[in-house]
Amino acid sequence: MNLVEQNWTEILNRVKEEHDILDVSFETWLAPLKVYKVEDNIVTILVPSQQVGLDYVSKKYKLPLKVAIAEITGTNYEIELLLPEEIERRQKTEEDIITSSNAGLNPKYTFDTFVVGSNNKFAHAASLAVAESPGEIYNPLFIYGGVGLGKTHLMHSIAHFILHNNPKSRILYATSEEFTNELIEAIRNGNNTAMSKFREKYRNIDVLLIDDVQFIIGKESTQEEFFHTFNTLHGAKKQIILSSDRPPKDMDILEDRIRSRFEWGLLADIQSPDYETRMAILRKKEELDGYNVGEDVIDYIATNIKSNIRELEGSLNKIIAYANLEKREINLALAEQVLKDMISPNEKKVITPEFIINTVAEHFNLSPSDIIGSKRSSKIAHPRQIVMYLCREFTGTNLVQIGQLLGKRDHTTIMYGIDKIEAEINNPSNTVTEEEIDILKKKINPPK
Ligand SMILES: Nc1ncnc2c1ncn2[C@@H]1O[C@H](COP(=O)(O)OP(=O)(O)OP(=O)(O)O)[C@@H](O)[C@H]1O
């Protein structure tokens, strides 16, 4: 017990004496006050009556209480007066926090921070449906997809959602490796108590989430134990959510009785994100972390890092960390420098005619609309012909399509433009065009 609680009666009496409070007032307002807790230099006092009591006591007795507490304990505490309902609400929130962290959940992995794109739309909808009605519709939910594509993020989102709706839900998230290791430990202990504790942990719950379940393949006793865990929970209508890097049908040496159980509920896959989703994920991350990174930098990352969202986020983090460390501005040059090792040669970016138009326009100090437009001055016609040539070099676009993109020009015009540039490149007495093309090729498709 702390000094405030120890001396509480004396503190109240001190207030009564010093302020000459009549018995009736003392009994009504002061005597019912209780110390709820003393923490971080704050004394929280419970006012066990209605709002009127709280308002009145705060106004009239808060300062006298503060002074009396300071005089008697020798510490200058802040005073907080609360009604029982508020204390109950706070306790509940504290419990919530304890439950989610006990369940091994990452607080950042929620539906709010998950960007929905065409690659994960189905898995997201399935996850939300399960989160809204656990144990009722899709059981198990089996989410599969390649490395770093958001399976864990979705699983944690489901768990957070369920906990938010029902803080008393018993939720357990574990990787299949953790499940295996704990099982091995229980078996090694060789006594029944360790094994019952293990079973109690995994079977006496409302929601079980097992990540990367592919790792149980080939581990006989793990599969056996998992099989029984699954049956117990499923039989009791408890929700099971599993993730894996591949669908059950591709889990070669998985026992059939387990494979069929994986397929009982709903299978949902996550694919690699498309460009728009990659951009949206980077923007979301930037927003969540409170940074302001230019569009060109975000575009550079999204164009070059395609297959793994963890790497996508990692690239942005790396650029930001580098800029902070070196006290440099976050711009494209920095991004290129920082990421040069991450962008592997086989992560070739897709070069579009639009990209070529923009690059050429910028190089010649023109706008893209000049290139597409109808002006025929040589200042514009020459870069336009270069665009035609580069489109044929870098993209699969045919002459008709290039013509369409360049202000609906006829394909013979395009053919003429390309021939002209080729002739200039091959002219040994004038190397200007050749040099221009050389620089532009490097800008469009930088050597790795
Ligand atoms: N759609 C998304 N929106 C926002 N962030 C995402 C999305 N998908 C993935 N991420 C982020 O990408 C990172 C990797 O995701 P996660 O760990 O969930 O992948 P995983 O599929 O479980 O990978 P692994 O196969 O390695 O277990 C995480 O930081 C996650 O928050």
Side-chain angles (χ1 to χ4, degrees):
M1 214 195 262
N2 58 66
L3 278 179
V4 181
E5 279 167 297
Q6 270 173 29
N7 298 296
W8 189 234
T9 316
E10 201 194 332
I11 291 166
L12 293 179
N13 285 330
R14 174 78 59 98
V15 175
K16 182 173 190 286
E17 278 162 30
E18 287 199 0
H19 296 268
D20 219 359
I21 296 167
L22 291 177
D23 283 345
V24 59
S25 308
F26 181 80
E27 288 307 320
T28 309
W29 307 118
L30 289 174
L33 302 181
K34 302 252 173 335
V35 178
Y36 170 63
K37 69 172 177 191
V38 180
E39 211 176 67
D40 299 331
N41 221 34
I42 300 172
V43 180
T44 306
I45 299 168
L46 182 65
V47 186
S49 54
Q50 313 79 6
Q51 192 64 41
V52 55
L54 178 71
D55 292 345
Y56 186 73
V57 172
S58 296
K59 208 161 155 199
K60 184 128 176 129
Y61 297 112
K62 194 169 169 180
L63 187 60
L65 279 166
K66 185 174 160 64
V67 173
I69 290 172
E71 283 173 355
I72 290 171
T73 65
T75 307
N76 198 6
Y77 288 104
E78 287 306 317
I79 312 289
E80 188 186 45
L81 295 152
L82 293 178
L83 287 173
E85 300 92 276
E86 170 62 13
I87 289 189
E88 214 174 280
R89 199 191 58 74
R90 285 194 191 177
Q91 274 173 344
K92 228 169 148 223
T93 328
E94 273 167 21
E95 268 169 28
D96 276 3
I97 295 163
I98 291 165
T99 329
S100 25
S101 58
N102 279 356
L105 303 176
N106 183 333
K108 289 185 182 160
Y109 291 176
T110 63
F111 282 122
D112 289 341
T113 57
F114 189 83
V115 174
V116 184
S118 53
N119 62 315
N120 58 27
K121 214 155 106 194
F122 183 71
H124 172 263
S127 300
L128 188 60
V130 164
E132 283 172 353
S133 320
E136 285 175 28
I137 34 168
Y138 306 123
N139 204 10
L141 171 65
F142 190 102
I143 305 171
Y144 66 92
V147 174
L149 292 182
K151 301 183 292 293
T152 305
H153 190 139
L154 265 186
M155 291 179 105
H156 287 209
S157 306
I158 300 173
H160 282 302
F161 192 100
I162 297 176
L163 275 174
H164 179 82
N165 277 350
N166 181 4
K168 292 209 161 59
S169 296
R170 286 157 306 165
I171 294 194
L172 183 61
Y173 165 85
T175 63
S176 70
E177 272 177 312
E178 282 161 355
F179 181 88
T180 309
N181 291 342
E182 286 175 35
L183 177 67
I184 293 171
E185 196 54 35
I187 295 171
R188 192 179 351 201
N189 268 334
N191 60 39
N192 286 340
T193 333
M195 206 56 209
S196 350
K197 256 184 140 174
F198 174 87
R199 293 195 172 135
E200 168 81 6
K201 176 174 175 185
Y202 281 93
R203 298 186 193 183
N204 192 18
I205 48 176
D206 301 309
V207 182
L208 176 65
L209 304 106
I210 300 281
D211 212 345
D212 291 324
V213 78
Q214 73 270 11
F215 290 122
I216 69 162
I217 300 173
K219 295 179 180 135
E220 267 173 42
S221 32
T222 309
Q223 283 194 41
E224 180 69 21
E225 187 59 33
F226 184 77
F227 177 73
H228 295 297
T229 307
F230 185 103
N231 288 345
T232 308
L233 290 173
H234 198 271
K237 290 203 165 11
K238 305 296 186 187
Q239 180 69 49
I240 302 160
I241 300 151
L242 306 167
S243 90
S244 164
D245 64 351
R246 65 201 93 156
K249 71 173 170 47
D250 293 346
M251 295 179 148
D252 290 340
I253 46 172
L254 189 68
E255 279 181 51
D256 277 345
R257 57 183 183 152
I258 297 189
R259 188 198 321 277
S260 73
R261 275 164 180 75
F262 284 174
E263 289 170 344
W264 271 353
L266 184 68
L267 301 179
D269 71 324
I270 305 187
Q271 306 279 341
S272 294
D274 57 16
Y275 170 78
E276 286 75 16
T277 312
R278 296 199 295 277
M279 289 289 284
I281 289 172
L282 288 169
R283 285 217 191 89
K284 181 88 186 181
K285 180 153 176 59
E286 183 200 359
E287 175 199 316
L288 290 172
D289 292 353
Y291 287 102
N292 191 6
V293 180
E295 191 72 11
D296 51 348
V297 173
I298 302 264
D299 171 76
Y300 178 74
I301 305 171
T303 307
N304 288 290
I305 311 272
K306 289 183 186 149
S307 51
N308 181 329
I309 298 172
R310 192 175 291 117
E311 267 184 27
L312 196 70
E313 292 188 338
S315 309
L316 183 60
N317 286 340
K318 204 169 161 190
I319 294 168
I320 292 169
Y322 208 87
N324 284 341
L325 221 64
E326 302 254 309
K327 305 216 170 352
R328 279 174 61 182
E329 193 196 331
I330 301 175
N331 56 26
L332 193 56
L334 179 75
E336 285 171 354
Q337 182 194 339
V338 174
L339 299 188
K340 67 177 184 301
D341 295 334
M342 287 183 77
I343 295 171
S344 64
N346 42 14
E347 290 262 19
K348 260 186 130 186
K349 61 179 178 185
V350 180
I351 298 166
T352 60
E354 289 77 11
F355 180 66
I356 294 175
I357 293 171
N358 290 344
T359 312
V360 174
E362 192 190 60
H363 181 80
F364 288 101
N365 239 339
L366 298 168
S367 72
S369 55
D370 289 328
I371 303 277
I372 297 167
S374 56
K375 284 193 198 132
R376 288 178 187 204
S377 65
S378 65
K379 194 174 149 265
I380 296 175
H382 175 67
R384 188 183 290 138
Q385 286 164 345
I386 287 185
V387 168
M388 297 171 189
Y389 173 84
L390 291 173
C391 277
R392 201 208 44 191
E393 286 285 299
F394 281 118
T395 70
T397 331
N398 63 37
L399 297 185
V400 177
Q401 288 166 331
I402 298 174
Q404 282 298 310
L405 286 164
L406 288 174
K408 295 202 170 59
R409 288 181 159 79
D410 189 60
H411 76 278
T412 49
T413 314
I414 307 302
M415 206 160 30
Y416 170 78
I418 293 173
D419 286 348
K420 184 153 178 287
I421 296 297
E422 260 171 359
E424 285 175 20
I425 292 172
N426 293 325
N427 178 0
S429 58
N430 185 351
T431 57
V432 175
T433 305
E434 194 182 357
E435 280 159 16
E436 281 168 350
I437 294 287
D438 208 13
I439 293 169
L440 280 163
K441 278 186 172 173
K442 285 193 183 117
K443 282 191 177 178
I444 291 165
N445 190 23
K448 298 281 184 304

